[in-house]
mmCIF file of all heavy atoms in Angstrom:
data_model
loop_
_atom_site.group_PDB
_atom_site.id
_atom_site.type_symbol
_atom_site.label_atom_id
_atom_site.label_comp_id
_atom_site.label_asym_id
_atom_site.label_seq_id
_atom_site.Cartn_x
_atom_site.Cartn_y
_atom_site.Cartn_z
ATOM 1 N N ILE B 1 -68.556 -66.421 24.367
ATOM 2 C CA ILE B 1 -68.633 -65.467 23.253
ATOM 3 C C ILE B 1 -68.873 -66.206 21.946
ATOM 4 O O ILE B 1 -69.688 -65.782 21.123
ATOM 5 C CB ILE B 1 -67.360 -64.608 23.192
ATOM 6 C CG1 ILE B 1 -67.272 -63.731 24.436
ATOM 7 C CG2 ILE B 1 -67.331 -63.767 21.933
ATOM 8 C CD1 ILE B 1 -66.001 -62.930 24.544
ATOM 9 N N ALA B 2 -68.187 -67.314 21.745
ATOM 10 C CA ALA B 2 -68.376 -68.084 20.510
ATOM 11 C C ALA B 2 -69.796 -68.617 20.421
ATOM 12 O O ALA B 2 -70.399 -68.608 19.341
ATOM 13 C CB ALA B 2 -67.370 -69.228 20.456
ATOM 14 N N THR B 3 -70.348 -69.046 21.532
ATOM 15 C CA THR B 3 -71.717 -69.547 21.543
ATOM 16 C C THR B 3 -72.701 -68.427 21.207
ATOM 17 O O THR B 3 -73.631 -68.621 20.419
ATOM 18 C CB THR B 3 -72.058 -70.139 22.923
ATOM 19 O OG1 THR B 3 -71.085 -71.119 23.255
ATOM 20 C CG2 THR B 3 -73.435 -70.760 22.925
ATOM 21 N N VAL B 4 -72.485 -67.257 21.786
ATOM 22 C CA VAL B 4 -73.365 -66.114 21.517
ATOM 23 C C VAL B 4 -73.256 -65.697 20.063
ATOM 24 O O VAL B 4 -74.265 -65.441 19.394
ATOM 25 C CB VAL B 4 -73.026 -64.936 22.460
ATOM 26 C CG1 VAL B 4 -73.738 -63.669 22.032
ATOM 27 C CG2 VAL B 4 -73.374 -65.290 23.893
ATOM 28 N N VAL B 5 -72.032 -65.644 19.532
ATOM 29 C CA VAL B 5 -71.834 -65.251 18.135
ATOM 30 C C VAL B 5 -72.499 -66.256 17.200
ATOM 31 O O VAL B 5 -73.153 -65.873 16.226
ATOM 32 C CB VAL B 5 -70.326 -65.109 17.825
ATOM 33 C CG1 VAL B 5 -70.083 -64.991 16.339
ATOM 34 C CG2 VAL B 5 -69.751 -63.906 18.544
ATOM 35 N N ASP B 6 -72.354 -67.546 17.496
ATOM 36 C CA ASP B 6 -72.990 -68.557 16.659
ATOM 37 C C ASP B 6 -74.505 -68.438 16.690
ATOM 38 O O ASP B 6 -75.171 -68.565 15.659
ATOM 39 C CB ASP B 6 -72.571 -69.960 17.117
ATOM 40 C CG ASP B 6 -71.131 -70.281 16.750
ATOM 41 O OD1 ASP B 6 -70.561 -69.561 15.893
ATOM 42 O OD2 ASP B 6 -70.579 -71.245 17.319
ATOM 43 N N SER B 7 -75.068 -68.180 17.847
ATOM 44 C CA SER B 7 -76.526 -68.047 17.925
ATOM 45 C C SER B 7 -76.993 -66.788 17.197
ATOM 46 O O SER B 7 -78.019 -66.802 16.521
ATOM 47 C CB SER B 7 -77.003 -68.052 19.372
ATOM 48 O OG SER B 7 -76.474 -66.939 20.059
ATOM 49 N N LEU B 8 -76.228 -65.695 17.314
ATOM 50 C CA LEU B 8 -76.592 -64.475 16.589
ATOM 51 C C LEU B 8 -76.512 -64.688 15.078
ATOM 52 O O LEU B 8 -77.365 -64.204 14.322
ATOM 53 C CB LEU B 8 -75.699 -63.311 16.998
ATOM 54 C CG LEU B 8 -75.939 -62.757 18.396
ATOM 55 C CD1 LEU B 8 -74.910 -61.686 18.716
ATOM 56 C CD2 LEU B 8 -77.341 -62.198 18.522
ATOM 57 N N LYS B 9 -75.500 -65.414 14.625
ATOM 58 C CA LYS B 9 -75.381 -65.711 13.197
ATOM 59 C C LYS B 9 -76.564 -66.533 12.715
ATOM 60 O O LYS B 9 -77.106 -66.287 11.639
ATOM 61 C CB LYS B 9 -74.082 -66.466 12.908
ATOM 62 C CG LYS B 9 -72.858 -65.591 12.887
ATOM 63 C CD LYS B 9 -71.618 -66.407 12.552
ATOM 64 C CE LYS B 9 -70.375 -65.556 12.591
ATOM 65 N NZ LYS B 9 -69.164 -66.344 12.313
ATOM 66 N N SER B 10 -76.972 -67.512 13.514
ATOM 67 C CA SER B 10 -78.103 -68.339 13.096
ATOM 68 C C SER B 10 -79.394 -67.524 13.066
ATOM 69 O O SER B 10 -80.207 -67.673 12.151
ATOM 70 C CB SER B 10 -78.255 -69.548 14.019
ATOM 71 O OG SER B 10 -78.653 -69.147 15.307
ATOM 72 N N TYR B 11 -79.590 -66.622 14.056
ATOM 73 C CA TYR B 11 -80.764 -65.758 14.040
ATOM 74 C C TYR B 11 -80.743 -64.831 12.823
ATOM 75 O O TYR B 11 -81.766 -64.605 12.180
ATOM 76 C CB TYR B 11 -80.861 -64.918 15.316
ATOM 77 C CG TYR B 11 -81.209 -65.702 16.547
ATOM 78 C CD1 TYR B 11 -80.599 -65.413 17.759
ATOM 79 C CD2 TYR B 11 -82.155 -66.724 16.519
ATOM 80 C CE1 TYR B 11 -80.911 -66.129 18.904
ATOM 81 C CE2 TYR B 11 -82.467 -67.443 17.655
ATOM 82 C CZ TYR B 11 -81.846 -67.143 18.841
ATOM 83 O OH TYR B 11 -82.153 -67.848 19.962
ATOM 84 N N TYR B 12 -79.561 -64.290 12.501
ATOM 85 C CA TYR B 12 -79.429 -63.395 11.347
ATOM 86 C C TYR B 12 -79.738 -64.153 10.058
ATOM 87 O O TYR B 12 -80.486 -63.656 9.205
ATOM 88 C CB TYR B 12 -78.016 -62.811 11.292
ATOM 89 C CG TYR B 12 -77.756 -61.990 10.060
ATOM 90 C CD1 TYR B 12 -78.274 -60.708 9.952
ATOM 91 C CD2 TYR B 12 -77.007 -62.492 9.009
ATOM 92 C CE1 TYR B 12 -78.056 -59.953 8.815
ATOM 93 C CE2 TYR B 12 -76.779 -61.739 7.875
ATOM 94 C CZ TYR B 12 -77.293 -60.473 7.779
ATOM 95 O OH TYR B 12 -77.085 -59.736 6.658
ATOM 96 N N ASP B 13 -79.175 -65.345 9.906
ATOM 97 C CA ASP B 13 -79.436 -66.131 8.701
ATOM 98 C C ASP B 13 -80.916 -66.470 8.573
ATOM 99 O O ASP B 13 -81.490 -66.405 7.485
ATOM 100 C CB ASP B 13 -78.605 -67.412 8.715
ATOM 101 C CG ASP B 13 -77.118 -67.143 8.547
ATOM 102 O OD1 ASP B 13 -76.769 -66.057 8.028
ATOM 103 O OD2 ASP B 13 -76.315 -68.017 8.943
ATOM 104 N N GLN B 14 -81.538 -66.801 9.683
ATOM 105 C CA GLN B 14 -82.955 -67.140 9.670
ATOM 106 C C GLN B 14 -83.801 -65.920 9.289
ATOM 107 O O GLN B 14 -84.744 -66.027 8.505
ATOM 108 C CB GLN B 14 -83.371 -67.672 11.035
ATOM 109 C CG GLN B 14 -84.766 -68.220 11.089
ATOM 110 C CD GLN B 14 -85.084 -68.779 12.468
ATOM 111 O OE1 GLN B 14 -84.380 -68.501 13.437
ATOM 112 N NE2 GLN B 14 -86.146 -69.559 12.557
ATOM 113 N N SER B 15 -83.454 -64.745 9.814
ATOM 114 C CA SER B 15 -84.224 -63.541 9.485
ATOM 115 C C SER B 15 -84.018 -63.134 8.030
ATOM 116 O O SER B 15 -84.959 -62.678 7.369
ATOM 117 C CB SER B 15 -83.858 -62.391 10.419
ATOM 118 O OG SER B 15 -82.500 -62.034 10.259
ATOM 119 N N VAL B 16 -82.805 -63.315 7.497
ATOM 120 C CA VAL B 16 -82.564 -63.008 6.086
ATOM 121 C C VAL B 16 -83.372 -63.951 5.196
ATOM 122 O O VAL B 16 -83.962 -63.520 4.196
ATOM 123 C CB VAL B 16 -81.052 -63.093 5.769
ATOM 124 C CG1 VAL B 16 -80.806 -63.100 4.278
ATOM 125 C CG2 VAL B 16 -80.323 -61.927 6.409
ATOM 126 N N ASP B 17 -83.413 -65.213 5.548
ATOM 127 C CA ASP B 17 -84.203 -66.169 4.772
ATOM 128 C C ASP B 17 -85.686 -65.820 4.814
ATOM 129 O O ASP B 17 -86.383 -65.881 3.792
ATOM 130 C CB ASP B 17 -83.998 -67.593 5.297
ATOM 131 C CG ASP B 17 -82.589 -68.104 5.035
ATOM 132 O OD1 ASP B 17 -81.913 -67.539 4.149
ATOM 133 O OD2 ASP B 17 -82.170 -69.063 5.722
ATOM 134 N N THR B 18 -86.175 -65.432 5.973
ATOM 135 C CA THR B 18 -87.585 -65.050 6.107
ATOM 136 C C THR B 18 -87.880 -63.803 5.284
ATOM 137 O O THR B 18 -88.889 -63.743 4.577
ATOM 138 C CB THR B 18 -87.930 -64.801 7.578
ATOM 139 O OG1 THR B 18 -87.603 -65.965 8.330
ATOM 140 C CG2 THR B 18 -89.400 -64.490 7.747
ATOM 141 N N ALA B 19 -87.007 -62.809 5.353
ATOM 142 C CA ALA B 19 -87.210 -61.581 4.580
ATOM 143 C C ALA B 19 -87.161 -61.865 3.092
ATOM 144 O O ALA B 19 -87.949 -61.312 2.316
ATOM 145 C CB ALA B 19 -86.155 -60.548 4.958
ATOM 146 N N SER B 20 -86.274 -62.735 2.666
ATOM 147 C CA SER B 20 -86.192 -63.091 1.249
ATOM 148 C C SER B 20 -87.464 -63.771 0.780
ATOM 149 O O SER B 20 -87.947 -63.500 -0.323
ATOM 150 C CB SER B 20 -84.995 -64.006 1.004
ATOM 151 O OG SER B 20 -83.798 -63.352 1.298
ATOM 152 N N SER B 21 -88.014 -64.633 1.616
ATOM 153 C CA SER B 21 -89.264 -65.294 1.227
ATOM 154 C C SER B 21 -90.412 -64.286 1.151
ATOM 155 O O SER B 21 -91.264 -64.378 0.271
ATOM 156 C CB SER B 21 -89.601 -66.424 2.189
ATOM 157 O OG SER B 21 -89.897 -65.911 3.476
ATOM 158 N N TYR B 22 -90.426 -63.303 2.071
ATOM 159 C CA TYR B 22 -91.452 -62.257 2.002
ATOM 160 C C TYR B 22 -91.310 -61.420 0.740
ATOM 161 O O TYR B 22 -92.298 -61.092 0.087
ATOM 162 C CB TYR B 22 -91.381 -61.342 3.223
ATOM 163 C CG TYR B 22 -91.896 -61.947 4.506
ATOM 164 C CD1 TYR B 22 -91.409 -61.524 5.728
ATOM 165 C CD2 TYR B 22 -92.869 -62.932 4.499
ATOM 166 C CE1 TYR B 22 -91.869 -62.074 6.906
ATOM 167 C CE2 TYR B 22 -93.329 -63.488 5.669
ATOM 168 C CZ TYR B 22 -92.829 -63.058 6.872
ATOM 169 O OH TYR B 22 -93.286 -63.592 8.041
ATOM 170 N N VAL B 23 -90.073 -61.086 0.374
ATOM 171 C CA VAL B 23 -89.843 -60.292 -0.835
ATOM 172 C C VAL B 23 -90.299 -61.065 -2.070
ATOM 173 O O VAL B 23 -90.930 -60.505 -2.975
ATOM 174 C CB VAL B 23 -88.358 -59.890 -0.946
ATOM 175 C CG1 VAL B 23 -88.031 -59.339 -2.320
ATOM 176 C CG2 VAL B 23 -88.010 -58.864 0.119
ATOM 177 N N GLU B 24 -90.005 -62.344 -2.101
ATOM 178 C CA GLU B 24 -90.431 -63.156 -3.239
ATOM 179 C C GLU B 24 -91.959 -63.237 -3.319
ATOM 180 O O GLU B 24 -92.533 -63.180 -4.401
ATOM 181 C CB GLU B 24 -89.834 -64.566 -3.144
ATOM 182 C CG GLU B 24 -88.346 -64.600 -3.379
ATOM 183 C CD GLU B 24 -87.940 -64.081 -4.742
ATOM 184 O OE1 GLU B 24 -88.633 -64.348 -5.733
ATOM 185 O OE2 GLU B 24 -86.918 -63.378 -4.797
ATOM 186 N N SER B 25 -92.624 -63.344 -2.166
ATOM 187 C CA SER B 25 -94.088 -63.407 -2.203
ATOM 188 C C SER B 25 -94.682 -62.056 -2.602
ATOM 189 O O SER B 25 -95.700 -62.001 -3.284
ATOM 190 C CB SER B 25 -94.642 -63.854 -0.852
ATOM 191 O OG SER B 25 -94.382 -62.875 0.131
ATOM 192 N N ILE B 26 -94.042 -60.956 -2.205
ATOM 193 C CA ILE B 26 -94.527 -59.625 -2.593
ATOM 194 C C ILE B 26 -94.360 -59.412 -4.091
ATOM 195 O O ILE B 26 -95.217 -58.823 -4.748
ATOM 196 C CB ILE B 26 -93.800 -58.537 -1.778
ATOM 197 C CG1 ILE B 26 -94.298 -58.553 -0.340
ATOM 198 C CG2 ILE B 26 -93.997 -57.162 -2.390
ATOM 199 C CD1 ILE B 26 -93.520 -57.641 0.590
ATOM 200 N N LYS B 27 -93.252 -59.897 -4.655
ATOM 201 C CA LYS B 27 -93.052 -59.770 -6.096
ATOM 202 C C LYS B 27 -94.146 -60.509 -6.858
ATOM 203 O O LYS B 27 -94.516 -60.125 -7.961
ATOM 204 C CB LYS B 27 -91.674 -60.302 -6.493
ATOM 205 C CG LYS B 27 -90.556 -59.362 -6.157
ATOM 206 C CD LYS B 27 -89.229 -59.896 -6.644
ATOM 207 C CE LYS B 27 -88.108 -58.940 -6.306
ATOM 208 N NZ LYS B 27 -86.795 -59.454 -6.734
ATOM 209 N N GLY B 28 -94.658 -61.559 -6.257
ATOM 210 C CA GLY B 28 -95.742 -62.306 -6.889
ATOM 211 C C GLY B 28 -97.028 -61.502 -6.979
ATOM 212 O O GLY B 28 -97.862 -61.747 -7.847
ATOM 213 N N TYR B 29 -97.226 -60.547 -6.101
ATOM 214 C CA TYR B 29 -98.428 -59.720 -6.123
ATOM 215 C C TYR B 29 -98.324 -58.551 -7.102
ATOM 216 O O TYR B 29 -99.283 -57.800 -7.261
ATOM 217 C CB TYR B 29 -98.729 -59.165 -4.731
ATOM 218 C CG TYR B 29 -99.069 -60.216 -3.705
ATOM 219 C CD1 TYR B 29 -98.472 -60.179 -2.459
ATOM 220 C CD2 TYR B 29 -99.968 -61.224 -3.980
ATOM 221 C CE1 TYR B 29 -98.763 -61.139 -1.505
ATOM 222 C CE2 TYR B 29 -100.270 -62.184 -3.035
ATOM 223 C CZ TYR B 29 -99.668 -62.137 -1.798
ATOM 224 O OH TYR B 29 -99.954 -63.076 -0.856
#
C-alpha cells in the first residue's frame, strides 16, 4: 500500500507540474 501510495503521489505531482507548465505557456499566448 505504501508503495502504491508513493507512486500515485509521484504521478499526481508530475501531472500537476505538467499542467502548470501548460497554463504558463497558454498565458504567454
Side-chain angles (χ1 to χ4, degrees):
I1 294 175
T3 306
V4 169
V5 168
D6 287 344
S7 63
L8 289 175
K9 282 182 183 178
S10 68
Y11 290 140
Y12 174 76
D13 291 339
Q14 188 178 16
S15 63
V16 167
D17 292 340
T18 304
S20 297
S21 66
Y22 286 152
V23 167
E24 290 300 321
S25 66
I26 288 173
K27 284 183 180 178
Y29 295 133

